[in-house]
Amino acid sequence: MNRVNLEGMRWKRFGHVRRAGGEEDSVKPTAAERRCGEMRLPGKKPRVAHRNWLYQGFLKLREDILHYDSGARTNWLTVESTPAAVCVLAVSSNGCVLIRREYRHSVGEFVTGLPGGKVELGEDVLEAAAREMREETGLVFEKWGVLGESWPLPGIFNQKTVFVTAENLVEECAMLLEVGEVIAGIEFKSCNDLLELATLHGEPVDGQLLAGLSLIRLHRKVDTTQHPIVRFGHKNAYNTSGSTSRGLEQHGSCCLPKKGTRGALKA
C-alpha cells in the first residue's frame, strides 16, 4: 500500500499554508475555495413519522421513518446506547500517553486504543473515567480534566465521546475486566510513536485514539486562561446531560504539561 509523503505535504490552516517543518506561508484562497466557503444551504431537519424498536438489549436498534420537505421518505437505522462514553488520555511525567491493546471481535483484531467506556446514567463523566481506569488498567490517577468531545459515528450511533485527561499516577490495584474484555498489553507511548503506528506501520488503531491525540495537540495551541479545563472533584461540573462549553467556562485550569517543559507532549 502506498504511503502519503507527509514531509512534503502542505497543510492549509486559517488562510495560511503550514509545512511539516512548522514554517508558514501566507496564501490567498482560490476562487473555487472562496465559493465553497460562502455556501449556505437551506438545511431543515426531517420529521419522524414513525419509530419502531427492532432490538433492545445492551445496545438498542431503532428504525425511524423520516419525511422530508421535498416529499421524500426514507427509513433510518440508529444504534442507541447511553448518551456518553469516556476515553482517557493518561499522561505520564515524561509526556507519554497510556494505551492498551484489546481484542475487538467485530474486526477480529487486537486494536491499539485508549482506556474508557460508557458513562452510566446520572454518573459524572470524570467519576466514570476514574472508574474505567481502575477497572481496565488497575491504575489510579490523582489529576483529572475534560479535554473535549466528539460524536464518532453520528450517522448511525447516538453516543458521544468525552475525552478526559489523567495525570499523577498514585496507586496500582487489581484490574476488574468484564466478560469479553481481552487485553494483550498496556504501556505508555509517545504521541509521535502512536501516530506512526497508524500512518507508517499500518497497525490496527482505534479512531478514538487518533482523535484524542489531535485534541491534545490542539489544546497546547490555545490560551488555557480563556479555555480552562474542568477539574475532577467539582460535583456535576460535567455530566451526561450537561454541555462541555458550560463546564469549560466556569471551572478549573489546564492539566497537561506546559509547552517547553520537560515531559511536555511533542507537537
Side-chain angles (χ1 to χ4, degrees):
M1 183 170 62
N2 294 330
R3 297 293 177 188
V4 175
N5 180 10
L6 297 179
E7 293 300 322
M9 186 175 288
R10 292 159 65 88
W11 300 89
K12 290 185 178 180
R13 185 171 68 85
F14 305 121
H16 292 72
V17 168
R18 185 179 183 88
R19 294 194 180 91
E23 68 273 15
E24 295 186 358
D25 293 335
S26 179
V27 295
K28 293 182 178 181
T30 65
E33 290 170 340
R34 285 196 299 272
R35 287 195 297 272
C36 289
E38 296 168 358
M39 282 185 178
R40 296 292 183 271
L41 301 176
K44 187 176 180 181
K45 294 181 180 180
R47 180 174 62 87
V48 179
H50 181 73
R51 174 163 295 176
N52 181 35
W53 292 98
L54 304 179
Y55 175 79
Q56 297 193 54
F58 173 72
L59 297 173
K60 299 178 182 179
L61 179 63
R62 75 168 193 253
E63 180 185 40
D64 293 336
I65 300 177
L66 305 180
H67 289 193
Y68 295 83
D69 279 354
S70 63
R73 299 183 181 187
T74 187
N75 291 20
W76 198 278
L77 295 178
T78 300
V79 178
E80 279 201 5
S81 183
T82 55
V86 290
C87 277
V88 182
L89 292 114
V91 183
S92 67
S93 58
N94 65 347
C96 292
V97 174
L98 183 73
I99 54 94
R100 64 176 189 166
R101 295 186 68 244
E102 181 178 1
Y103 178 70
R104 298 297 192 182
H105 185 68
S106 297
V107 297
E109 297 278 359
F110 280 91
V111 179
T112 300
L114 298 170
K118 67 178 182 178
V119 180
E120 302 292 347
L121 292 176
E123 186 178 27
D124 182 88
V125 164
L126 296 176
E127 290 175 350
R131 172 182 55 76
E132 290 288 349
M133 283 295 289
R134 287 194 304 270
E135 294 174 355
E136 296 185 356
T137 68
L139 302 178
V140 178
F141 289 81
E142 185 179 44
K143 199 174 181 181
W144 296 85
V146 172
L147 189 61
E149 66 179 37
S150 70
W151 276 261
L153 294 169
I156 60 171
F157 195 30
N158 76 315
Q159 191 178 74
K160 70 179 175 183
T161 299
V162 183
F163 293 91
V164 174
T165 57
E167 283 189 287
N168 295 359
L169 176 61
V170 294
E171 185 182 344
E172 296 184 35
C173 58
M175 297 168 60
L176 298 173
L177 297 178
E178 296 180 1
V179 175
E181 288 183 321
V182 182
I183 309 297
I186 298 172
E187 63 179 320
F188 283 97
K189 277 187 170 291
S190 72
C191 293
N192 287 346
D193 286 345
L194 291 173
L195 290 172
E196 286 183 2
L197 285 178
T199 58
L200 299 179
H201 303 298
E203 294 191 17
V205 174
D206 194 320
Q208 301 283 54
L209 171 60
L210 300 180
L213 294 177
S214 297
L215 281 173
I216 283 183
R217 292 161 70 92
L218 289 171
H219 181 77
R220 292 184 62 230
K221 300 179 192 297
V222 304
D223 181 0
T224 56
T225 61
Q226 298 298 320
H227 303 276
I229 297 297
V230 179
R231 285 294 188 190
F232 182 68
H234 183 91
K235 188 65 175 175
N236 295 326
Y238 194 111
N239 54 46
T240 53
S241 61
S243 68
T244 305
S245 58
R246 182 170 65 251
L248 293 182
E249 290 169 358
Q250 296 177 359
H251 308 289
S253 59
C254 176
C255 67
L256 296 177
K258 293 182 180 179
K259 188 173 183 179
T261 62
R262 183 180 178 182
L265 297 171
K266 296 180 181 179

